[in-house]
Amino acid sequence: MMEYCENCGAKLEDKSRFCPKCGHALAVNADDGRFADKSRIAIVTLVIIIMTLALFIAVPIITDLTAGSQHVFVGTAEFKIPDYFEYDEKASNKTIDERITHKDWRHGDEHIEIAVSQFESGADIDKVLVNLGGYKEEKYNIRGHHYHFQDGEECFAYDAGENRMISIIVSDAKLFDKIEVL
């Protein structure tokens, strides 16, 4: 089928993009496939970009949701903490007092610090907790007193029975829900 330029009326050769007489840009015939490859490449590229962005967003969320846990011991207490935290030997076992066992775990800027304090028989641990400036908190899976420890740190301390007080210090309060006392 012979076509003509809509601008000047000159006869056109098949699959011409411009009129050979006046240079007018011609409408593209969808059946000729000239631009089909370019549009397919653009669509495939867009799909690849969207999928890559989705992976960058989804992988950390999925990793966090499917992360396992590790069993750790601090003094006479056992805990479950997320398995992506690594034991920080340098910060752990500080000599605070011979009655306090202390351990730290880190993951990037996040940290978990657990201390188990052993008191003499008959000690009023609840009074110690109140003196720390804490308040009763029922939000987390660990029940006790919640207070701010240092800049940007949250602490949760409670009477663990047998004259023990357990303090859990974290970089973000959301970590409290990822720690389980066994």
Side-chain angles (χ1 to χ4, degrees):
M1 178 171 117
M2 185 64 69
E3 292 188 32
Y4 297 89
C5 176
E6 61 187 47
N7 187 48
C8 71
K11 283 186 179 181
L12 303 173
E13 295 182 22
D14 285 344
K15 299 186 180 183
S16 295
R17 293 179 62 191
F18 299 96
C19 174
K21 183 174 180 186
C22 71
H24 180 72
L26 304 173
V28 178
N29 183 350
D31 295 340
D32 68 11
R34 285 185 282 171
F35 296 107
D37 288 339
K38 288 183 181 179
S39 62
R40 274 190 219 117
I41 291 170
I43 290 170
V44 168
T45 303
L46 183 61
V47 168
I48 289 171
I49 290 170
I50 290 171
M51 290 180 71
T52 303
L53 289 173
L55 279 173
F56 277 109
I57 293 168
V59 166
I61 293 170
I62 291 169
T63 300
D64 193 42
L65 293 175
T66 60
S69 59
Q70 57 181 311
H71 289 255
V72 298
F73 291 89
V74 181
T76 58
E78 181 180 5
F79 304 87
K80 268 193 201 177
I81 65 171
D83 67 355
Y84 53 87
F85 277 85
E86 293 183 20
Y87 181 63
D88 185 351
E89 191 169 345
K90 185 176 179 181
S92 295
N93 299 319
K94 298 179 208 169
T95 306
I96 302 169
D97 186 311
E98 65 275 356
R99 297 170 294 171
I100 300 173
T101 305
H102 170 275
K103 293 190 178 182
D104 286 72
W105 294 267
R106 301 212 178 272
H107 175 71
D109 291 337
E110 295 182 307
H111 75 272
I112 297 171
E113 181 179 335
I114 301 175
V116 177
S117 305
Q118 190 70 46
F119 290 91
E120 295 176 10
S121 180
D124 188 349
I125 295 175
D126 199 50
K127 186 174 181 179
V128 172
L129 292 168
V130 170
N131 287 337
L132 289 172
Y135 54 90
K136 286 285 188 184
E137 178 73 62
E138 296 296 323
K139 179 178 177 183
Y140 305 109
N141 62 10
I142 306 166
R143 306 290 182 243
H145 291 267
H146 179 203
Y147 62 95
H148 297 285
F149 184 64
Q150 296 176 5
D151 290 339
E153 293 185 328
E154 299 286 328
C155 183
F156 206 79
Y158 64 98
D159 183 345
E162 301 173 8
N163 297 313
R164 292 180 306 165
M165 180 180 81
I166 294 178
S167 300
I168 301 173
I169 302 166
V170 294
S171 53
D172 183 346
K174 293 176 186 171
L175 287 172
F176 285 131
D177 291 327
K178 297 180 181 182
I179 300 169
E180 184 179 343
V181 181
L182 303 174

